[in-house]
Amino acid sequence: RERAAELFRWLVAPVPPAAFLARHWERAPLLVRRGQPGYYAGLFSTAELDAALRGGRVRFGAHLDVTSYAEGVRETHNPAGPALPAVVWDFYQNGCSLRLLCPQAFSPAVWHLLSVLQEHLGSMVGANAYLTPPGTQGFAPHYDDIEAFVLQLEGRKRWRVYGPRAEAEVLPQFSSPNLTQAELGEPVLEAVLEAGDLLYFPRGFIHQGDCLPDAHSLHITVSSFQRNSWGDLLEKLLPAALQMALEEDVEYRRGLPMDYLRYMGVTNLDAVNARRTAFVEKVQSLIKKLVDYAPIDAAVDQRAKSFLHDCLPPVLSESEKARSMHGFPARWQDGGPRDVDIVITKDTEVCLLRHGIIRLCNEEAGVRLYYTTENSRVYHEEEPKFLEIDPEYTDSIEFLLSSYPNYVSVDNLPCETLEDKVSLATLLFEKGILTTKKPLVQV
């Protein structure tokens, strides 16, 4: 968590994080001119994009979009199949922009950046990389449903940012369609980003970027807080509260008045009617009473479950790899497999790899432990990862959470038997959730 906070501090520097959150987060754009072209050195480059194309794994549509915007018309030019270098660079040479949809799948540095930032923001952190030829624009003006951090990596790009046009566009749930220049007012911010600069704007702020004639542009947009509002929490909470109320309170199961259709509905909106007044008051009282049945913590657990599915897997240091399943030295040697058995004893000292990589959820199917260590680096490429957990093990999971970041011996896990303690620790180790204080096998 300290590392994640430090990375966020680096992202918005020299603006202090507290000042950024108070003045800009979900409120107003921020432009940071650093005058340090190498500020993002090592994060991502056109050379790395070219290497990814040559690696043969990039496909049009799935990983790469080819776009253009000219004379008010936005077009996508994706052919079918793999994004071969000759085809991609021909598009670029003819004035098309390239959008790499998941640079974290091809760049360990971008994966590391996003994986650590998500620990600080408590919400999925994604990214797109944009390469734009000189003198062109790849996208129409629009607003997004994410908090956007634009990191200028190479070249220069002119940006224009416009405030929300109406109250309904402030912090919107969904992105806008492409907008025309005629639909825009005056920009609240206009600037040319140089390498090393940062531009932040909240969801709902319309934006467009175009390249100057004398330089290409490569930038990464880091995004977060998509569908992460109070309203999104209530979408989980209110149906669950109503279901609980229906089960526990007969008032929610009583029948509606036989004649309510005669005096309720839009056509009766202006009618003065005692029965109508009583009906409205009854609905209001039932809604207010729902608060008593709201399973707030359970709804938060469901949000956390979704977050863990969104998450990138954690990036491990060499030391962490050596002490976890990811670096376990099983191998073929001298005609047979070696160091295959995972031997955990009561004296083995263990710790969660990260505090935020697991979540216990009580569900109809039973207790499940959701985790991130086997997630893909491509968003939702695989189904959510979880373990069916015996309810007797929940105390041990909570013990590991409360002990983090300290190591505890397996014998201290609050399971009934030593066999259960070793079995649980082995299972969590095999899934990459636990790390040991010392490598289990010395190689």
Side-chain angles (χ1 to χ4, degrees):
R1 290 173 178 175
E2 291 173 358
R3 178 188 59 174
E6 183 60 34
L7 182 59
F8 185 74
R9 189 176 296 110
W10 169 86
L11 180 68
V12 299
V15 179
F20 170 79
L21 294 174
R23 299 171 191 166
H24 297 279
W25 180 254
E26 295 190 326
R27 291 178 176 84
L30 169 68
L31 170 65
V32 176
R33 297 189 189 277
R34 294 197 174 98
Q36 301 179 50
Y39 194 80
Y40 303 121
L43 181 57
F44 194 68
S45 66
T46 48
E48 288 179 85
L49 173 58
D50 183 63
L53 296 174
R54 293 179 183 282
R57 294 190 297 122
V58 181
R59 299 186 68 83
F60 288 112
H63 308 117
L64 187 77
D65 285 332
V66 178
T67 69
S68 65
Y69 177 72
E71 298 179 355
V73 179
R74 154 81 162 84
E75 294 183 275
T76 300
H77 307 280
N78 292 344
L84 300 176
V87 178
V88 173
W89 292 126
D90 183 62
F91 274 121
Y92 177 83
Q93 191 169 266
N94 283 282
C96 292
S97 290
L98 308 177
R99 174 172 64 181
L100 187 62
L101 298 171
C102 48
Q104 65 272 16
F106 306 98
S107 165
V110 176
W111 170 28
H112 198 171
L113 173 76
L114 305 184
S115 176
V116 176
L117 276 180
Q118 72 190 8
E119 296 180 37
H120 184 75
L121 295 175
S123 176
M124 175 206 166
V125 179
N128 290 332
Y130 299 82
L131 180 63
T132 310
T136 68
Q137 181 170 332
F139 294 87
H142 66 283
Y143 63 75
D144 292 316
D145 57 350
I146 48 94
E147 301 299 299
F149 298 84
V150 177
L151 284 59
Q152 188 70 27
L153 305 179
E154 296 176 8
R156 307 163 69 214
K157 197 167 200 177
R158 180 176 67 132
W159 285 88
R160 285 167 285 175
V161 181
Y162 310 79
R165 299 169 299 173
E167 185 66 25
E169 293 182 358
V170 176
L171 303 179
Q173 275 192 296
F174 304 102
S175 299
S176 74
N178 294 329
L179 304 173
T180 65
Q181 297 295 333
E183 295 176 276
L184 309 180
E186 291 298 315
V188 296
L189 185 152
E190 184 169 1
V192 174
L193 258 64
E194 307 274 356
D197 291 346
L198 169 74
L199 174 63
Y200 159 82
F201 44 84
R203 53 197 190 275
F205 275 72
I206 300 166
H207 52 277
Q208 59 180 328
D210 62 281
C211 266
L212 302 177
D214 60 344
H216 77 282
S217 168
L218 177 69
H219 79 266
I220 276 186
T221 297
V222 174
S223 61
S224 191
F225 265 63
Q226 185 179 52
R227 302 300 305 272
N228 198 45
S229 67
W230 286 103
D232 295 304
L233 173 62
L234 291 175
E235 280 186 346
K236 294 281 188 185
L237 179 60
L238 293 181
L242 181 57
Q243 185 59 44
M244 192 171 294
L246 283 165
E247 293 174 2
E248 298 186 10
D249 191 334
V250 70
E251 287 302 310
Y252 290 87
R253 303 196 298 273
R254 296 193 189 281
L256 293 163
M258 293 182 183
D259 60 348
Y260 82 101
L261 294 178
R262 299 178 190 172
Y263 52 83
M264 296 306 299
V266 176
T267 56
N268 299 299
L269 196 59
D270 298 324
V272 179
N273 186 307
R275 290 175 299 173
R276 178 181 174 83
T277 301
F279 189 96
V280 171
E281 289 176 350
K282 180 65 174 179
V283 171
Q284 290 173 339
S285 70
L286 290 174
I287 291 175
K288 291 177 182 176
K289 202 174 179 183
L290 271 183
V291 175
D292 298 333
Y293 299 99
I296 297 173
D297 287 310
V300 169
D301 283 340
Q302 290 303 306
R303 290 284 305 171
K305 164 186 163 181
S306 298
F307 171 47
L308 263 61
H309 185 208
D310 296 342
C311 275
L312 286 164
V315 179
L316 277 63
S317 67
E318 290 304 316
S319 174
E320 288 171 329
K321 284 182 182 178
R323 294 178 285 110
S324 74
M325 187 65 182
H326 298 282
F328 201 75
R331 62 201 181 279
W332 181 273
Q333 183 178 315
D334 299 330
R338 293 287 184 271
D339 296 326
V340 175
D341 296 332
I342 297 170
V343 181
I344 289 179
T345 70
K346 67 182 184 67
D347 297 319
T348 304
E349 294 182 274
V350 296
C351 179
L352 290 175
L353 180 66
R354 302 278 190 282
H355 187 276
I357 61 172
I358 60 171
R359 191 78 179 199
L360 276 171
C361 293
N362 286 308
E363 302 185 342
E364 290 185 10
V367 181
R368 286 179 171 177
L369 182 70
Y370 289 87
Y371 60 97
T372 68
T373 52
E374 294 180 350
N375 284 3
S376 168
R377 286 158 64 176
V378 176
Y379 178 70
H380 284 193
E381 188 175 51
E382 300 179 13
E383 294 300 310
K385 306 297 181 183
F386 64 86
L387 296 169
E388 303 282 358
I389 293 292
D390 190 310
E392 295 178 359
Y393 286 162
T394 58
D395 286 346
S396 293
I397 302 295
E398 291 170 357
F399 176 69
L400 288 167
L401 282 164
S402 62
S403 300
Y404 181 89
N406 298 316
Y407 285 86
V408 296
S409 66
V410 169
D411 194 36
N412 285 334
L413 295 178
C415 297
E416 288 189 4
T417 68
L418 177 58
E419 182 181 0
D420 287 341
K421 297 175 183 183
V422 171
S423 176
L424 176 61
T426 302
L427 174 62
L428 298 180
F429 182 85
E430 288 175 344
K431 293 298 179 181
I433 296 169
L434 286 185
T435 181
T436 55
K437 194 169 186 178
K438 298 177 180 179
L440 290 179
V441 177
Q442 299 295 330
V443 179

